[in-house]
Structure formats: structure tokens, C-alpha cells
Amino acid sequence: MDIVYLRDLRIDTIIGIYDWERRTRQTIILDLEMGADVARAAATERMEDALNYKDVAKRLIRFVGESDFQLVETLAERCAQIILDEFDVPWVRLTLNKKGAVRGATDVGVIIERGERC
């Protein structure tokens, strides 16, 4: 299996359990690795045969930007499910970083893998 990746996708959203977090948009950062077979796209050079990472990014920007989950775990799960369901991807590894959520830590978040890695 090949991997198509997207790193450092920054999206402003409402996320958190505290009252102040519910009133203030915060930036989350997504890193994605998505299972794909790039051989066909490489052979044909047709966008229709490739995983369109721009479309993935646009879809997640819209979804995350409109969301208001309390937990990063929930947001990560929903994003992974969108990728699996809407982009015909068999496997995804998603890192959701909520930078600055813990004083003294540079990064904090979750890493999940969903689907079957071929």
C-alpha cells in the first residue's frame, strides 16, 4: 500500500469542555496519512485515478470549521470516518493536535488509525 499524506492542516473551530473554549475558536492541526494505490494514477496521469488530497483538505476544513465538539477524540473519529467513507480510502492515520491545550507542553492531542492497512 502506498500512502498519500497531508501535514499541518490548520483549521479554526470550537473544541473543548470548558466554558471559555466554547466561546473562542481555537486552531487544531491535522496530519493525515491515507492508504492509496498510486500506481494507476502514476501510469495514467489522470486526476480521476488519484486520491485528491486537495478535495480531502477542503472537505475537512468545511466539516471541522462548522463543528463544535467537546472532545478531540470525537472530532478525530468523525474526520477519519469522512475520509474512509467519502474518499474510498481503506486506511487512515490521523493526528489531531490541539496545540497549547496544556501549559508547558508544545503539543497535545490524539493519533488514531482506522480501516485496514493492506
Side-chain angles (χ1 to χ4, degrees):
M1 172 178 21
D2 304 313
I3 295 175
V4 174
Y5 70 90
L6 196 142
R7 302 241 193 280
D8 205 33
L9 180 61
R10 295 169 181 262
I11 309 168
D12 291 338
T13 190
I14 300 295
I15 185 83
I17 59 171
Y18 300 109
D19 288 342
W20 70 267
E21 291 178 303
R22 309 304 300 157
R23 293 188 303 270
T24 305
R25 295 182 75 75
Q26 299 176 69
T27 302
I28 59 102
I29 303 165
L30 293 177
D31 290 332
L32 305 170
E33 295 179 7
M34 300 167 285
D37 179 0
V38 302
R40 182 173 175 160
T44 66
E45 289 220 305
R46 291 171 15 121
M47 192 61 222
E48 298 81 24
D49 296 329
L51 173 57
N52 189 329
Y53 46 81
K54 183 176 182 179
D55 285 349
V56 173
K58 288 168 59 175
R59 176 66 173 102
L60 292 179
I61 289 167
R62 185 172 63 249
F63 174 75
V64 173
E66 295 171 355
S67 71
D68 65 349
F69 296 107
Q70 292 186 2
L71 299 177
V72 295
E73 293 86 348
T74 308
L75 181 56
E77 283 286 344
R78 297 303 190 282
C79 289
Q81 202 60 54
I82 286 171
I83 294 166
L84 292 171
D85 292 345
E86 296 181 21
F87 294 95
D88 196 28
V89 170
W91 170 84
V92 63
R93 177 182 169 103
L94 181 146
T95 302
L96 193 155
N97 182 342
K98 189 177 171 189
K99 210 170 206 40
V102 174
R103 187 182 316 223
T106 304
D107 300 316
V108 64
V110 297
I111 300 171
I112 64 172
E113 288 189 35
R114 298 294 180 266
E116 294 296 319
R117 194 170 189 170
C118 304

